Structures are given as C-alpha cells and as structure tokens.
Amino acid sequence: MHWRAGLPVLGGIGVFAVLLCSTPASAQGSANGAVYVQCPPSVDTNDDGVPDAAGPDSDGDGIPDIKCMHLAGGDGFVTMADGRPQYMFGFSDVTAVPPGQVMEVGALAANFPAPTITLNEGQHFYLSLTNVGMVMRPDLSDPHSVHFHGFPNAAPIFDGTPENSLSVNMGSSLSYYYKIMEPGTYMYHCHVEATEHMQMGMLGNLYVKPRQNTLPGGTALGSFTHTTGQQYAYNDGDGSTRYDVEKAIQIGSFDPDFHDASETVQPLPFATMRDRYGMLNGRGYPDTVNPVALSTDTDRGPKASQPVDSLVTATAGQRVLLRISNLNVTRFYTLASTIPMKVVGQSARLHRGPSGTDLTFTTNSVTVGGGESVDVILDTTGLSGTYLLYTTNLNYLSNDTQDFGGMMTEIRIQ
C-alpha cells in the first residue's frame, strides 16, 4: 500500500477502512446523526477533536504528523464597511468545543471569510464539519459540505461535491480525511447549491506549506543556502520563492439584494445577481486595514464575524508573499499593487514549465477568476511608507453607494 493525494490506495483504488462520519450516509448521500468529531484516538484521548500533545513527528522535522480541526456550518451576520448589516451563511471554528455545546456555540457564528486553514506538506488532516442549521431561516434544511478546491483527492468521497460525495445534514457531522501532498495556495467552500451558498459567504482561505521549510540549516539549494527558519512558497530547489512575511488575500463580493432576499424569505434573484460590495478577506476598505477582529451583535450577543484583516506590514528589505485567491461567483477581478509583484505560482503550482523552465514574471497587476489562486512576492528593498493593493475594477472601489472603499488595502513598510 502507498499514499497518493488524499487517501491510502491499494492498486489505485481507495481503501475505506473507516468511513469517518457519525452514521452511514442516507440514500441522498448525506451524513446523518448527532454531533461527532473525530481525531485519531492515539493523539486525542478525551474526544474533543484536538490532539492532547504535539502528536507523532515521524520524520523529525518539528511538525506534527496529524492535524485536526472542527468547523460548524450555519448562518450569521457581517457588517459592511458602510455600516450595513448583511445576513450570510458561513463556517465557524469550533475546534475543542465539547460536542454537546457545538450546536449552541456555532449558532449565528458564521465567519466571512471562513476560518483560515494552514497545513504542512506530509500531514494527515482530519477536518470535522457539523451542520448547526440556520437560526434565521428555520424553514431551510440545507446540507453543507467542504470542498477543498484544487486539491488532488485520490477518491471523490471526501471531495465535497454533491454529485459524487457526502454532504452533511442539520444536526449531523462528517469527518473528512486528507493526506496533504501538494504545497501551494488553495481555498475551500461549500459545494452544495454552490452558487447560492458561495454568494452567501461559505468561502475560506486554505494553503499548504512545503517540506522545504523544514530542511536542516546549511542545506544547499543550487547556489542558495538554506538557513533554519527560512520559509518558501514551494519546493523550488533554488530558494527563489523564499519570503519573510506572508498574507492570504481572498477576493470576494456580495450582492446585497440577494442577501436581503435570503433573510426575508423572498425568491432569490439569481438571474439579476450583481455584486455591489467588493471585499478583501470579507471586508471593504477602510475595514481591511483594521487589525482587530470584527464582531456583529446578534440576539444571542456579540459574535465574531469578520476575523481576518488584509493589512500587510513589513520591514524594508523583507520579501512579502501574497497568497491571492478568488472564490467569487459573478466575475473576474484584477488586483494591482503600487509595488511590482513577481508571480511565482498559480493555482497551487510553481510557475515552471515541464522541463523546469522559469515562467515567473514581474507585473503590477494580476487578474484572477473564480476558483483561481496566484502567489506573488513583493521585494521591499529600499522602500518605506504606505503602498496600495487595490482592484482596477474601479466601480468596486466603493462600499455600495459610498465611495473610497471596497476592494483595497494597504502595504505598510517601515
């Protein structure tokens, strides 16, 4: 038996020794049952979904072999930069929450974007998803899933697509399993009724760090010598994707009419969908540069809603990696920087040809379609002050009717 992508395989066929869901799937392909989180009992002895210790480190690189996480899927509210509240669907992080409290803690706790998932090449990742239902829409019984966008799953059962894998019904849980093999910038989203659930906010940052980060100090990478602690975007073999500071930037936008129609139980305007709030990491400018996690008041008290800012800070001379992704369902967007950007990767692949030809290039703007990602490095040598990262789709430099906002953030160099 050997490992390929997401599951152990034997003769090219996935081996499903254990189906990691609470009960068998229904006829519709959805997981049923009570709240149940799974993390290997060898590292999680109290069944809270969190390893009790660092867990095994079989290759001695300082990174645990196993990572576990628990997400809740439900609804909630976010606040646009002009002060307008928006009803949304989303995910929240309920890792380490006792199973008996997950339904309560996850209620109206949806985040936009969804909690960031950071993984390391070679890890075994157990991701439990519990559907806590829609507090504001008790008439809905929508199932949810997690689609690890762009990841080469060995078998479709954990892919999160409704046509050929499992989804999670209200009050139920499913544990996905992945063997993390390919570094790069990915993303994740719910793939059930995808156009609706993605427009409503079930989108998140996800990226995988390469093994090259854990090489012993003094290792030669061509003419470049690795120093302990140095970080890379990919296993480049020459140090060309080294960076000092990283920031995940997810492009998104909302159509407020669609969100309002969902909240007030009206027909959803799919055909006339037109986004009017452009955002980076779930916020419009100037909220994008606020380093404080934002909360929204609900009838159950304040709930964390927009935890991820887009402010980039660096010291002159540092190399900044921007992990740019777009999960928008309506259009392509272009992001421009007042600092030249070196494009080193795209769609979770190092920018090289089949024979190793260097395909990197330097530009001041990148255009990203829905489901695409781009990795760019900014060299801040000789720079100081505040620079901008912004969309050249100028009508998205606003918060609906309020000008001077939208899809823009700052890069501050000291």
Side-chain angles (χ1 to χ4, degrees), residues 165-384:
S165 61
L166 300 177
S167 56
V168 185
N169 287 330
M170 286 175 52
S172 305
S173 299
L174 169 71
S175 290
Y176 295 85
Y177 167 77
Y178 309 95
K179 171 68 172 175
I180 305 302
M181 298 295 288
E182 300 284 349
T185 299
Y186 299 88
M187 59 211 85
Y188 73 100
H189 60 88
C190 179
H191 219 310
V192 179
E193 301 175 44
T195 302
E196 176 190 358
H197 287 198
M198 292 173 69
Q199 165 65 232
M200 290 299 291
M202 303 193 83
L203 322 168
N205 288 302
L206 191 160
Y207 53 90
V208 176
K209 297 190 174 186
R211 287 189 185 275
Q212 188 169 295
N213 289 350
T214 64
L215 291 173
T219 300
L221 299 172
S223 60
F224 179 82
T225 301
H226 170 73
T227 300
T228 301
Q230 285 182 326
Q231 302 282 300
Y232 308 88
Y234 291 92
N235 295 308
D236 52 53
D238 58 10
S240 59
T241 66
R242 181 186 66 81
Y243 65 88
D244 304 294
V245 176
E246 71 178 335
K247 192 76 174 185
I249 302 286
Q250 189 160 96
I251 299 168
S253 52
F254 275 0
D255 175 354
D257 295 337
F258 194 97
H259 288 249
D260 289 348
S262 183
E263 182 182 8
T264 56
V265 199
Q266 299 300 308
L268 297 178
F270 286 98
T272 59
M273 190 184 295
R274 184 174 71 88
D275 293 352
R276 303 203 301 273
Y277 285 102
M279 291 171 281
L280 299 177
N281 286 336
R283 305 184 191 181
Y285 187 83
D287 288 349
T288 53
V289 299
N290 183 353
V292 177
L294 304 184
S295 298
T296 301
D297 289 332
T298 72
D299 59 359
R300 301 187 179 207
K303 290 276 190 176
S305 57
Q306 292 151 287
V308 185
D309 67 83
S310 302
L311 175 64
V312 181
T313 58
T315 301
Q318 289 186 318
R319 291 162 62 89
V320 178
L321 170 66
L322 299 181
R323 299 180 178 273
I324 301 171
S325 63
N326 181 12
L327 272 176
N328 190 268
V329 298
T330 59
R331 61 178 301 147
F332 287 65
Y333 285 106
T334 299
L335 277 188
S337 171
T338 50
I339 302 174
M341 302 183 288
K342 182 179 181 180
V343 179
V344 299
Q346 186 167 4
S347 296
R349 291 295 182 271
L350 182 63
H351 234 328
R352 294 206 179 143
S355 61
T357 304
D358 183 5
L359 300 179
T360 61
F361 61 95
T362 300
T363 180
N364 279 95
S365 67
V366 291
T367 298
V368 190
E372 292 185 324
S373 67
V374 179
D375 300 294
V376 304
I377 291 179
L378 314 179
D379 187 346
T380 66
T381 300
L383 302 180
S384 100

Side-chain angles (χ1 to χ4, degrees), residues 9-69:
V9 294
L10 181 63
I13 301 175
V15 179
F16 308 122
V18 179
L19 180 62
L20 303 176
C21 62
S22 51
T23 64
S26 70
Q28 289 75 35
S30 298
N32 294 287
V35 175
Y36 181 74
V37 59
Q38 187 160 0
C39 189
S42 60
V43 296
D44 176 23
T45 60
N46 60 356
D47 296 324
D48 65 352
V50 182
D52 302 325
D57 176 12
S58 58
D59 54 10
D61 62 3
I63 297 173
D65 296 341
I66 295 171
K67 181 168 181 173
C68 302
M69 187 173 183

